[in-house]
Amino acid sequence: MAALTAPASTLRQAEASSLDATTSRSSRKGFLGLIGGVVYDLPIAVAARLYWLAPLLARITVGWVFVSTGWGKLHNLQKIIDYFTELGIPYPQYQAPFASANEFFCGLLVLVGLATRVAAIPLIFVMLVAIRTAQWENIDSLAALLGLVEWAYIAIFAWLAIAGPGPCPSTV
């Protein structure tokens, strides 16, 4: 977690020390040191260089999904209102536009990395409501809950709300 917020100079120092450790380990212990360097030190050095990639991929993935679904719902509100009515959601004529706009605008913020921590929170609530209203009858165990795509979105949004959007790759 600290690696996500550490300045680039600190990470470059960590990369250099990790690469130095790989070289020194392999020269001190022969073949086993080389294997240790490849198995342990090399993945750490690669991860230090690509620390920005995980939050970027997460933001692009969930941001795009929610922008596109929110856009589709906003352009077909009557169908969404009817669906919310079937689910028994109170005041569907207000809830459907609110949830659709929330998905679109908060998804857009997450996608571009602006106010990601704030925008992720309403999307977590939208997914919790989706689980409670649309998926509740399908949940008979913890495994069933954890297997829902809505739960995967909650996990990703929780991570983004805590860790933030990550650095811009051009500044790395």
Side-chain angles (χ1 to χ4, degrees):
M1 182 95 117
L4 290 176
T5 59
S9 61
T10 305
L11 290 168
R12 288 189 184 97
Q13 290 171 354
E15 293 170 16
S17 64
S18 179
L19 290 173
D20 291 342
T22 305
T23 306
S24 63
R25 185 185 309 242
S26 62
S27 64
R28 284 186 286 165
K29 297 183 182 178
F31 182 72
L32 289 178
L34 178 64
I35 297 296
V38 169
V39 170
Y40 181 75
D41 294 329
L42 183 62
I44 290 174
V46 170
R49 290 186 183 269
L50 298 176
Y51 72 98
W52 55 270
L53 187 59
L56 178 68
L57 290 176
R59 282 192 306 104
I60 289 172
T61 302
V62 296
W64 183 259
V65 166
F66 280 82
V67 165
S68 61
T69 59
W71 182 261
K73 289 175 182 177
L74 284 171
H75 285 83
N76 201 356
L77 271 177
Q78 190 55 50
K79 184 176 179 181
I80 303 304
I81 291 170
D82 294 343
Y83 181 62
F84 277 29
T85 304
E86 288 176 23
L87 292 174
I89 296 175
Y91 305 107
Q93 68 277 15
Y94 302 117
Q95 296 284 354
F98 178 75
S100 302
N102 190 358
E103 285 187 26
F104 177 72
F105 290 112
C106 290
L108 186 61
L109 289 172
V110 168
L111 178 67
V112 298
L114 295 175
T116 300
R117 289 181 171 153
V118 175
I121 295 168
L123 293 170
I124 290 171
F125 284 110
V126 167
M127 290 297 95
L128 288 172
V129 170
I131 289 172
R132 180 62 181 102
T133 57
Q135 298 291 338
W136 199 248
E137 67 273 356
N138 300 328
I139 300 172
D140 57 358
S141 66
L142 181 60
L145 173 66
L146 297 178
L148 294 174
V149 69
E150 292 87 354
W151 186 260
Y153 289 139
I154 289 171
I156 293 170
F157 286 132
W159 176 56
L160 289 171
I162 293 167
C168 181
S170 65
T171 62
V172 175

